[in-house]
């Protein structure tokens, strides 16, 4: 197992009192799985992904990532994990407007002080279909192109785990299919594990497993019949 | 150059015109306020002196009230503009920090970007514009007083609101441009 979430709980204080974002959620994911986390808005999908990414801390419960308990990691160690082993993709792309396509893609690797693999960079740019737009800035790209850059950025360091929060939320059918294709490519080539929070049936149909959350609880966990151990 | 430094460099270049406009607007605002204060002091002196009790005295009282009102209006406008500038700046900073955090930037890398934003993009336009405006207006006010000795009082006192009026109009135009540029 690459990921073991055990009895994870989180409450947020709101104007109306406390809101339960996650209520004793437990989930085990094997290496190389493609898991879709579905559920309505406020079901707890983003909270779950943020906890796994180390961007938020749970009230109780634990997360074992690659054998390491990560819920109480110091910020420094948590940041290192995100640079080296976890790729994060957001619905609103989160590209740095001051950097062009190439620079956005290599940013996490550069932040980590590692050497840039130029061959892999050229390959990934071709694969996301942005050959010729390497030096374009995000403001000059369409939503679909920006999301492809965001996916490429998350995949460039060949992470063990990719966390994608509504990666196709703002995209049309064609661009969504392209994003899914990229996620599947990285999984096949580098055995990366993909965890996608989504509303999209198109994404869920491509996943080996669909976990549905409602009001912070897992209400269903379905595996595709041909993949029983994901 | 590291990408963090590159982000800072390009952000400075991208925001150069907005920062310049903001600085120029603050220059005009602080300059106008200083001129109005000097003017008010002179009106007060005058009311205690030769014009006291004369018809010009009533006019001066009205002038004093209008100047106070203008100064208050200008102060509110300046404070609001600085607030808008700060809100825009800090919302951009928050967004950048969130992106860098999600990509695994270290505390030092984030601090470096934050420092550039605050020390290069935010503080200098506010400090330089305000300080230069205060100094220029103080010098202009002193010069105006010294060079118009013996001029007919009505004409002399009319010079100040006229000068301040020009600055207020320039100031408003700069604020408008600043908000538009940002």
């Amino acid at each position: 197992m690459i990921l073991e979430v055990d009895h994870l709980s989180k409450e947020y204080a709101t104007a109306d009192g406390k809101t339960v974002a996650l209520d004793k959620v437990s989930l085990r994911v094997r290496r190389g799985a493609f898991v879709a986390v579905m559920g309505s808005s406020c079901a707890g999908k983003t909270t779950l992904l943020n906890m796994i990414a180390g961007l938020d801390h749970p009230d109780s419960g634990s997360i074992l990532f690659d054998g390491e308990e990560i819920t109480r990691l110091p910020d420094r160690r948590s940041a290192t994990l995100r640079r080296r082993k976890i790729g994060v993709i957001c619905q609103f792309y989160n590209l740095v407007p001051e950097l062009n396509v190439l620079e956005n893609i290599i940013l996490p690797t550069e932040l980590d002080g590692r050497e840039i693999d130029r061959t892999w960079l050229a390959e990934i740019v071709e694969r996301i279909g942005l050959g010729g737009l390497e030096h374009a800035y995000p403001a000059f790209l369409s939503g679909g192109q920006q999301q492809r850059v965001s996916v490429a950025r998350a995949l460039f360091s060949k992470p063990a785990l990719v966390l994608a929060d509504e990666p196709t939320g703002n995209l049309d059918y064609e661009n969504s299919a392209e994003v899914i294709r990229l996620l599947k490519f990285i999984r096949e080539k580098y055995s990366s594990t993909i965890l996608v929070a989504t509303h999209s049936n198109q994404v869920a149909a491509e996943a080996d497993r669909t976990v549905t959350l409602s009001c912070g609880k897992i209400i269903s966990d379905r595996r595709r019949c041909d993949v029983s151990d994901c | 150059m590291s990408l963090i430094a590159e982000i800072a460099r390009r952000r400075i270049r991208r925001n150069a015109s907005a920062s310049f406009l903001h600085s120029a607007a603050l220059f005009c605002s602080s300059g106008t306020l200083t001129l109005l204060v000097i003017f008010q002091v002179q009106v007060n002196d005058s009311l205690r002196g030769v014009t006291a009790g004369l018809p010009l005295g009533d006019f001066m009282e009205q002038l004093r009230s209008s100047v106070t009102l203008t100064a208050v209006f200008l102060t509110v406008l300046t404070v609001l503009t600085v607030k808008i500038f700060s809100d825009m700046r800090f919302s951009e900073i928050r967004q950048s920090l969130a992106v860098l955090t999600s990509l695994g930037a270290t505390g030092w890398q984030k601090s470096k970007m934050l420092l550039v934003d605050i020390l290069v993009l935010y503080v200098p336009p506010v400090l330089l514009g305000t300080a230069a405006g205060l100094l220029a207006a103080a010098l202009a006010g002193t010069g105006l007083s010294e060079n118009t000795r013996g001029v007919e009082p009505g004409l002399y006192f009319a010079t100040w609101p006229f000068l301040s009026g020009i600055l207020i109009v320039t100031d408003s135009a700069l604020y408008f441009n600043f908000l538009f540029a940002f």
Side-chain angles (χ1 to χ4, degrees), chain A:
Chain A
M1 290 294 155
I2 189 165
L3 186 67
E4 293 177 58
V5 176
D6 189 32
H7 286 84
L8 205 66
S9 295
K10 179 74 179 177
E11 284 183 352
Y12 289 111
T14 60
D16 309 325
K18 282 185 175 175
T19 300
V20 178
L22 290 176
D23 187 8
K24 293 177 186 160
V25 168
S26 296
L27 182 70
R28 300 178 75 194
V29 180
R30 73 161 175 83
R31 192 177 298 274
F34 187 149
V35 181
V37 180
M38 296 194 79
S40 57
S41 298
C42 305
K45 307 186 295 291
T46 299
T47 307
L48 177 63
L49 261 58
N50 283 346
M51 304 268 171
I52 297 170
L55 296 169
D56 201 352
H57 298 290
D59 296 332
S60 62
S62 66
I63 301 171
L64 276 182
F65 170 65
D66 221 2
E68 184 180 9
E69 159 62 45
I70 59 168
T71 48
R72 297 280 174 254
L73 282 182
D75 286 347
R76 199 185 175 85
R77 173 77 187 120
S78 181
T80 307
L81 265 187
R82 282 193 297 279
R83 288 198 306 272
R84 297 181 183 171
K85 291 186 169 181
I86 300 176
V88 178
I89 302 167
C90 303
Q91 181 178 0
F92 298 104
Y93 329 130
N94 275 359
L95 299 179
V96 179
E98 288 83 9
L99 299 180
N100 64 31
V101 167
L102 284 186
E103 291 165 335
N104 263 294
I105 294 173
I106 63 170
L107 182 58
T109 311
E110 224 261 357
L111 290 174
D112 202 33
R114 278 179 289 149
E115 196 69 27
I116 305 299
D117 180 348
R118 298 281 161 190
T119 316
W120 171 227
L121 180 60
E123 184 186 337
I124 204 161
V125 168
E126 278 308 314
R127 197 159 277 281
I128 61 172
L130 290 181
L133 287 172
E134 293 93 336
H135 299 288
Y137 286 88
F140 298 100
L141 301 175
S142 69
Q145 287 171 327
Q146 288 190 53
Q147 189 60 299
R148 277 184 271 160
V149 176
S150 165
V151 172
R153 182 178 63 186
L155 306 186
F156 185 65
S157 54
K158 301 163 189 167
L161 176 65
V162 176
L163 300 170
D165 190 3
E166 301 282 3
T168 59
N170 284 329
L171 305 181
D172 58 22
Y173 187 87
E174 289 298 317
N175 278 304
S176 298
E178 185 59 33
V179 166
I180 296 166
R181 197 181 59 76
L182 282 168
L183 291 173
K184 290 179 84 172
F185 160 75
I186 200 78
R187 178 177 80 142
E188 280 153 25
K189 190 157 181 182
Y190 297 103
S191 299
S192 297
T193 306
I194 317 284
L195 203 59
V196 186
T198 184
H199 281 110
S200 161
N201 290 325
Q202 185 188 3
V203 177
E206 298 290 337
D208 318 319
R209 179 178 168 192
T210 304
V211 174
T212 308
L213 284 171
S214 176
C215 301
K217 286 184 174 177
I218 293 181
I219 55 166
S220 84
D221 187 350
R222 284 179 302 178
R223 290 164 168 83
R224 258 175 43 188
C225 51
D226 56 331
V227 190
S228 57
D229 63 340
C230 58

Side-chain angles (χ1 to χ4, degrees), chain B residues 156-167:
Chain B
Y156 170 70
F157 284 115
T159 314
W160 290 77
F162 177 70
L163 194 64
S164 302
I166 292 175
L167 277 173

Side-chain angles (χ1 to χ4, degrees), chain B residues 116-145:
Chain B
V116 169
D117 255 277
I118 292 174
L119 295 181
V120 180
L121 282 171
Y122 182 71
V123 175
V126 175
L127 281 187
L128 287 178
T130 309
L134 287 172
L135 190 69
L139 290 174
T142 314
L144 194 65
S145 301

